Amino acid sequence: MNGTTLSMRNLALFGPPGSGKGTQAQLLAERLGMEHIATGDMLREERSRGTELGQMVSSYLSSGKLVPDEVIVAMIRQRLQQSQPERGFVLDGFPRTANQARALTEMLDSLERPLDLVAVLDVGKEQIAGRLALRAQKEGRDDDSPDIVEERIKVYREQAEPVLQVLADSIPVVRLNGNQAVEEVHRQLLESLT
Ligand code: AMP
């Protein structure tokens, strides 16, 4: 913690698979106490616990396709209701469709906790491939294999603009170069948040 005073506390991180959303969200959580809300992690956790939800989403996770909006929106609604407003949150991997973005804005309006900022981590295709190959070795995620990565990047490309269009109506959007060192991206994120 470096004593930074944040005036903005609720953030959505946006970017292709392997752009560093998880790493940056984790850093903000560790250093500022923000809640890290990662839909992918939540779904993988449900799957590994073998819950009804986990069984239902398993094939989406393995194929790199998006889980249906109503499923993910219900899950995130419950999660946000349990969160502590004073900590602020970082959304990682949500929203991923225009419908999810609309549902999120409504949800946060009714909770009176609007999003303060959307930060897009821009990363080139080559970097993505390299980073995900490394992650596949380290973490063994079944959706980091080359053909599924291709599918996930395609899904991101199709949905990114519609999502940002919905959000940019009411929320500031900053674009950061995600190819920089982890600490530099973190520093720029903090700067954008203050
Ligand atoms: P991630 O860990 O964010 O890369 O997400 C892994 C997988 O979880 C995705 O490929 C989707 O199958 C599913 N997933 C995560 N977040 C969402 C979301 N917001 N909407 C739909 N599916 C999601």
Side-chain angles (χ1 to χ4, degrees):
M1 177 92 194
N2 56 10
T4 311
T5 316
L6 292 184
S7 52
M8 296 202 271
R9 299 290 301 191
N10 298 328
L11 166 73
L13 280 178
F14 202 73
S19 57
K21 300 186 295 293
T23 304
Q24 293 300 329
Q26 214 173 322
L27 276 179
L28 290 170
E30 281 165 15
R31 295 183 181 171
L32 301 173
M34 297 169 83
E35 288 190 38
H36 178 188
I37 302 179
T39 42
D41 288 349
M42 291 165 77
L43 294 168
R44 281 185 290 277
E45 165 87 20
E46 294 283 342
R47 179 176 63 178
S48 71
R49 283 171 42 217
T51 63
E52 201 178 323
L53 173 61
Q55 289 174 31
M56 208 251 277
V57 301
S58 180
S59 62
Y60 294 98
L61 291 177
S62 329
S63 63
K65 303 223 182 293
L66 292 182
V67 168
D69 286 340
E70 59 275 19
V71 173
I72 206 93
V73 167
M75 185 178 85
I76 208 91
R77 177 174 284 120
Q78 202 181 20
R79 179 65 187 80
L80 283 170
Q81 279 163 355
Q82 291 164 354
S83 68
Q84 302 167 32
E86 64 282 5
R87 289 178 60 191
F89 57 75
V90 191
L91 292 177
D92 162 9
F94 182 90
R96 266 204 179 55
T97 65
N99 276 338
Q100 291 180 16
R102 281 186 283 267
L104 175 69
T105 328
E106 279 173 28
M107 225 184 287
L108 292 177
D109 276 352
S110 72
L111 288 170
E112 296 185 5
R113 296 174 60 195
L115 262 185
D116 297 300
L117 184 72
V118 178
V120 184
L121 302 181
D122 285 318
V123 183
K125 206 172 169 193
E126 271 97 72
Q127 275 87 6
I128 294 177
R131 287 177 182 198
L132 292 182
L134 207 66
R135 185 166 79 185
Q137 276 175 4
K138 277 209 294 211
E139 297 175 18
R141 259 178 69 166
D142 63 350
D143 61 349
D144 280 343
S145 65
D147 50 335
I148 306 294
V149 163
E150 192 88 4
E151 171 66 21
R152 289 164 58 215
I153 293 173
K154 182 171 146 256
V155 169
Y156 175 77
R157 290 244 161 81
E158 286 166 0
Q159 301 287 348
E161 277 318 308
V163 173
L164 287 176
Q165 264 171 26
V166 173
L167 296 177
D169 260 357
S170 51
I171 304 153
V173 177
V174 293
R175 301 195 85 103
L176 302 179
N177 174 2
N179 289 327
Q180 305 170 99
V182 169
E183 282 297 334
E184 179 56 20
V185 178
H186 176 65
R187 194 191 64 73
Q188 291 180 6
L189 265 178
L190 285 180
E191 210 173 73
S192 312
L193 275 167
T194 46

